[in-house]
Amino acid sequence: MNVGLIWAQNPDGVIGADNGIPWRLPEDMAHFKATTLGHPVIMGRRTWDSLPARFRPLSGRRNIVVTRNPDWTAEGAERAGSLAAALELAAEARPEPGTAESGRERPSAWVIGGGEIYRAALPYATTLSVTEVDAPVTGDTFAPPLDPAWRITEDTGWRSSTTELRYRIRRYTRP
Ligand code: NAP
């Protein structure tokens, strides 16, 4: 199965602070939705907790949440006890909520965070979508380091958000 990771970071690699994202970028939220819609999404339990209740579960996607807690349940989410179990669940041919059939485009599952899960999932990934946000913030959660095998295959170049932050969206792939 093809696995993609999608995140937004600042130039220092910050992806989170206090179990939230320390900037607001509507264009990236739209990009995130367009990219992941129709695919299973895999996230750590802390990222699930960080989603505002009105956005949970993320619509039009199977929401697979990784937790060591065997008793964890949440409406609209599928629990997985490990990343490997999450990937197995994602690979099962099941329709995404609100769609007639499973997404056939590559990649077939997106890992959507956070820091702990990105680090664990990077070895499985063939595609990354990384939004770089020029936000001068400090944080406590960081993007995983990338080795040189990762190549930039798409780059929007710097754009201006309606929030006046600069951002660019890059796609990385590796053989
Ligand atoms: P996380 O990766 O979202 O979740 C960590 C949790 O996942 C662990 O506490 C554990 O849950 C579970 N887990 C991790 N490894 C596991 C394993 N091997 N087996 C079973 N369960 C496992 O947490 P995080 O690193 O703290 O990241 C959250 C931060 O990232 C937040 O600030 C969030 O806003 C941010 N974030 C940013 C972006 C972005 O694109 N900028 C995207 C997503 C998230 P239990 O404790 O329940 O066992």
Side-chain angles (χ1 to χ4, degrees), residues 8-58:
Q9 65 168 75
N10 87 346
D12 301 322
V14 170
I15 64 162
D18 298 328
N19 216 32
I21 296 179
W23 54 76
R24 202 179 72 79
L25 197 67
E27 295 85 352
D28 188 50
M29 291 171 73
H31 162 73
F32 173 83
K33 186 169 184 184
T35 304
T36 58
L37 207 61
H39 299 276
V41 291
I42 296 171
M43 72 194 94
R45 192 266 310 159
R46 287 206 288 268
T47 291
W48 170 271
D49 284 348
S50 77
L51 297 173
R54 67 184 187 283
F55 292 131
R56 277 190 332 217
L58 294 172

Side-chain angles (χ1 to χ4, degrees), residues 77-158:
E78 298 169 52
R79 178 195 170 272
S82 65
L83 180 67
L87 292 169
E88 274 175 36
L89 264 180
E92 286 174 9
R94 283 198 214 162
E96 302 303 316
T99 63
E101 55 184 341
S102 305
R104 289 211 184 91
E105 280 176 34
R106 291 148 53 114
S108 42
W110 285 100
V111 174
I112 63 162
E116 205 176 327
I117 296 298
Y118 289 137
R119 281 194 299 281
L122 192 59
Y124 299 94
T126 51
T127 302
L128 310 175
S129 175
V130 179
T131 301
E132 195 176 335
V133 187
D134 198 8
V137 295
T138 53
D140 53 29
T141 315
F142 292 85
L146 300 185
D147 70 43
W150 287 104
R151 296 291 154 99
I152 297 169
T153 50
E154 289 170 37
D155 186 347
T156 61
W158 288 106

